[in-house]
Protein backbone atom coordinates (compact mmCIF):
# COMPACT_ATOMS: atom_id res chain seq x y z
CA UNK A 1 0.00 0.00 0.00
CA UNK A 2 1.39 3.40 -0.92
CA UNK A 3 1.10 6.34 1.44
CA UNK A 4 -1.09 9.24 0.36
CA UNK A 5 0.54 12.18 -1.40
CA UNK A 6 -1.31 14.60 0.88
CA UNK A 7 -1.88 14.82 4.61
CA UNK A 8 -4.41 16.93 6.47
CA UNK A 9 -3.23 19.81 8.64
CA UNK A 10 -5.61 20.96 11.37
CA UNK A 11 -5.53 23.97 13.68
CA UNK A 12 -8.08 24.78 16.33
CA UNK A 13 -8.08 27.49 18.94
CA UNK A 14 -10.09 28.03 22.10
CA UNK A 15 -10.45 31.02 24.40
CA UNK A 16 -9.87 29.94 27.99
CA UNK A 17 -12.45 30.89 30.63
CA UNK A 18 -9.61 31.24 33.17
CA UNK A 19 -5.79 31.01 33.17
CA UNK A 20 -4.62 27.49 32.31
CA UNK A 21 -2.95 27.14 35.72
CA UNK A 22 -6.07 28.22 37.64
CA UNK A 23 -8.24 25.89 39.75
CA UNK A 24 -11.11 26.39 37.25
CA UNK A 25 -8.99 24.71 34.56
CA UNK A 26 -7.53 21.90 36.70
CA UNK A 27 -9.95 19.22 35.49
CA UNK A 28 -9.26 20.10 31.85
CA UNK A 29 -5.48 20.13 32.39
CA UNK A 30 -5.71 16.73 34.09
CA UNK A 31 -7.22 15.32 30.88
CA UNK A 32 -4.50 16.65 28.58
CA UNK A 33 -2.06 13.78 29.06
CA UNK A 34 -4.53 10.92 28.48
CA UNK A 35 -6.30 12.63 25.56
CA UNK A 36 -3.01 13.58 23.90
CA UNK A 37 -1.91 9.94 24.30
CA UNK A 38 -5.09 8.86 22.49
CA UNK A 39 -4.25 11.27 19.65
CA UNK A 40 -0.61 10.20 19.48
CA UNK A 41 -1.60 6.54 19.04
CA UNK A 42 -4.70 7.09 16.88
CA UNK A 43 -4.72 5.46 13.44
CA UNK A 44 -3.67 8.07 10.87
CA UNK A 45 -2.02 10.45 13.36
CA UNK A 46 1.16 12.03 11.95
CA UNK A 47 2.24 14.91 14.21
CA UNK A 48 1.09 17.50 16.73
CA UNK A 49 2.68 20.67 18.03
CA UNK A 50 3.99 20.13 21.56
CA UNK A 51 5.38 22.67 23.99
CA UNK A 52 7.39 20.02 25.81
CA UNK A 53 8.47 16.46 25.11
CA UNK A 54 8.82 15.80 28.86
CA UNK A 55 5.61 17.44 30.17
CA UNK A 56 2.50 16.04 28.45
CA UNK A 57 0.28 18.63 30.16
CA UNK A 58 2.23 21.65 28.86
CA UNK A 59 0.15 23.84 26.58
CA UNK A 60 1.68 25.50 23.54
CA UNK A 61 3.23 28.88 24.28
CA UNK A 62 2.71 31.33 21.42
CA UNK A 63 2.47 35.01 20.57
CA UNK A 64 -1.31 35.11 20.06
CA UNK A 65 -2.27 35.81 23.69
CA UNK A 66 -2.24 33.89 26.95
CA UNK A 67 -6.01 33.34 26.81
CA UNK A 68 -5.78 31.33 23.58
CA UNK A 69 -5.25 27.57 23.71
CA UNK A 70 -3.89 26.11 20.46
CA UNK A 71 -4.13 22.58 19.11
CA UNK A 72 -2.22 21.99 15.85
CA UNK A 73 -1.79 18.60 14.20
CA UNK A 74 -1.32 16.66 10.96
CA UNK A 75 -3.25 13.53 10.01
CA UNK A 76 -3.05 11.05 7.14
CA UNK A 77 -6.65 11.73 6.13
CA UNK A 78 -9.85 13.57 6.93
CA UNK A 79 -11.33 10.26 8.05
CA UNK A 80 -8.49 9.67 10.54
CA UNK A 81 -9.00 13.10 12.13
CA UNK A 82 -12.78 12.61 12.15
CA UNK A 83 -12.44 9.26 13.91
CA UNK A 84 -10.16 10.71 16.58
CA UNK A 85 -12.36 13.77 17.09
CA UNK A 86 -15.78 12.10 17.17
CA UNK A 87 -15.18 8.37 17.72
CA UNK A 88 -12.59 8.24 20.51
CA UNK A 89 -12.31 9.28 24.15
CA UNK A 90 -11.72 12.81 22.82
CA UNK A 91 -15.48 13.22 22.23
CA UNK A 92 -16.27 13.16 25.97
CA UNK A 93 -13.85 16.06 26.54
CA UNK A 94 -15.15 17.89 23.47
CA UNK A 95 -18.70 17.69 24.82
CA UNK A 96 -17.59 19.50 27.99
CA UNK A 97 -15.75 22.33 26.18
CA UNK A 98 -18.17 25.04 27.37
CA UNK A 99 -17.01 24.38 30.95
CA UNK A 100 -13.48 25.50 30.09
CA UNK A 101 -13.72 27.67 26.97
CA UNK A 102 -15.73 30.68 25.87
CA UNK A 103 -18.17 30.22 23.00
CA UNK A 104 -16.70 31.64 19.81
CA UNK A 105 -18.86 33.35 17.23
CA UNK A 106 -16.32 32.99 14.42
CA UNK A 107 -14.45 30.01 13.00
CA UNK A 108 -12.05 28.47 15.50
CA UNK A 109 -10.92 25.45 13.48
CA UNK A 110 -9.36 25.19 10.04
CA UNK A 111 -8.01 22.36 7.91
CA UNK A 112 -5.96 22.23 4.71
CA UNK A 113 -3.97 19.71 2.71
CA UNK A 114 -0.17 19.57 2.91
CA UNK A 115 2.31 17.37 1.04
CA UNK A 116 2.94 14.16 2.99
CA UNK A 117 6.00 14.64 5.16
CA UNK A 118 5.59 18.43 5.40
CA UNK A 119 4.97 20.00 8.80
CA UNK A 120 3.29 23.41 8.45
CA UNK A 121 4.12 26.30 10.75
CA UNK A 122 1.83 27.74 13.38
CA UNK A 123 1.96 31.08 11.55
CA UNK A 124 0.66 29.36 8.40
CA UNK A 125 -2.15 27.77 10.42
CA UNK A 126 -3.16 31.15 11.86
CA UNK A 127 -3.11 32.67 8.34
CA UNK A 128 -5.36 29.86 7.10
CA UNK A 129 -7.77 30.45 9.98
CA UNK A 130 -7.87 34.16 9.14
CA UNK A 131 -8.50 33.25 5.50
CA UNK A 132 -11.41 31.02 6.51
CA UNK A 133 -12.86 33.86 8.62
CA UNK A 134 -12.47 36.40 5.80
CA UNK A 135 -13.41 34.34 2.74
CA UNK A 136 -15.31 31.31 3.99
CA UNK A 137 -14.42 27.71 3.21
CA UNK A 138 -12.42 26.79 0.12
CA UNK A 139 -9.68 24.34 -0.86
CA UNK A 140 -7.06 26.38 1.03
CA UNK A 141 -9.00 26.61 4.33
CA UNK A 142 -12.00 24.47 5.28
CA UNK A 143 -13.83 22.63 8.07
CA UNK A 144 -15.47 19.25 8.54
CA UNK A 145 -18.77 20.79 7.46
CA UNK A 146 -17.35 22.19 4.21
CA UNK A 147 -14.41 19.91 3.52
CA UNK A 148 -12.46 19.69 0.31
CA UNK A 149 -11.29 16.16 -0.28
CA UNK A 150 -7.81 15.32 -1.41
CA UNK A 151 -7.34 12.74 -4.13
CA UNK A 152 -8.41 10.18 -1.51
CA UNK A 153 -12.04 11.36 -1.26
CA UNK A 154 -13.99 10.25 1.79
CA UNK A 155 -17.60 10.48 2.79
CA UNK A 156 -18.25 11.46 6.41
CA UNK A 157 -21.45 12.33 8.23
CA UNK A 158 -21.93 15.97 9.11
CA UNK A 159 -20.37 16.90 12.45
CA UNK A 160 -23.82 17.87 13.77
CA UNK A 161 -25.05 14.33 13.12
CA UNK A 162 -22.22 12.81 15.12
CA UNK A 163 -22.95 15.06 18.11
CA UNK A 164 -26.62 14.04 18.43
Amino acid sequence: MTSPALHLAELNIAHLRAPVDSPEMAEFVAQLEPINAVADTAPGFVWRLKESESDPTATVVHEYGDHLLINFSVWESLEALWNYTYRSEHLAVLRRRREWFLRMMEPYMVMWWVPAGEIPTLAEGMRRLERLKAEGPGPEAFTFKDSYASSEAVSLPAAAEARK
Side-chain angles (χ1 to χ4, degrees):
M1 180 178 192
T2 61
S3 60
L6 295 174
H7 284 166
L8 184 72
E10 166 281 325
L11 170 74
N12 69 72
I13 62 171
H15 287 272
L16 297 167
R17 288 192 173 272
V20 74
D21 58 355
S22 69
E24 295 89 349
M25 296 300 294
E27 194 174 351
F28 172 76
V29 171
Q31 296 181 70
L32 286 173
E33 183 174 6
I35 292 302
N36 284 338
V38 170
D40 292 348
T41 58
F45 171 81
V46 175
W47 169 89
R48 71 179 167 86
L49 182 61
K50 298 178 187 178
E51 182 60 31
S52 169
E53 289 296 328
S54 61
D55 181 0
T57 66
T59 56
V60 175
V61 175
H62 52 80
E63 61 187 46
Y64 302 102
D66 294 340
H67 65 287
L68 200 65
L69 189 74
I70 290 180
N71 181 305
F72 188 28
S73 58
V74 175
W75 296 80
E76 288 180 355
S77 67
L78 189 66
E79 183 178 23
L81 177 58
W82 174 270
N83 288 337
Y84 165 71
T85 304
Y86 297 108
R87 294 191 175 133
S88 77
E89 295 89 335
H90 176 268
L91 182 59
V93 176
L94 181 64
R95 285 183 171 145
R96 295 183 60 196
R97 68 190 175 275
R98 298 286 182 261
E99 294 176 38
W100 305 301
F101 306 107
L102 298 173
R103 186 177 187 100
M104 296 179 67
M105 301 307 288
E106 58 186 13
Y108 55 87
M109 191 245 206
V110 65
M111 297 182 281
W112 68 99
W113 296 105
V114 297
E118 179 180 300
I119 301 299
T121 66
L122 180 55
E124 178 183 2
M126 295 302 276
R127 282 192 304 272
R128 300 246 184 192
L129 183 58
E130 289 304 316
R131 181 179 186 155
L132 179 65
K133 289 176 188 178
E135 301 174 18
E140 301 298 317
F142 53 89
T143 66
F144 279 125
K145 183 179 177 186
D146 300 293
S147 64
Y148 287 77
S150 73
S151 57
E152 295 82 31
V154 295
S155 175
L156 298 174
E161 292 297 315
R163 288 189 220 124
K164 285 184 181 174

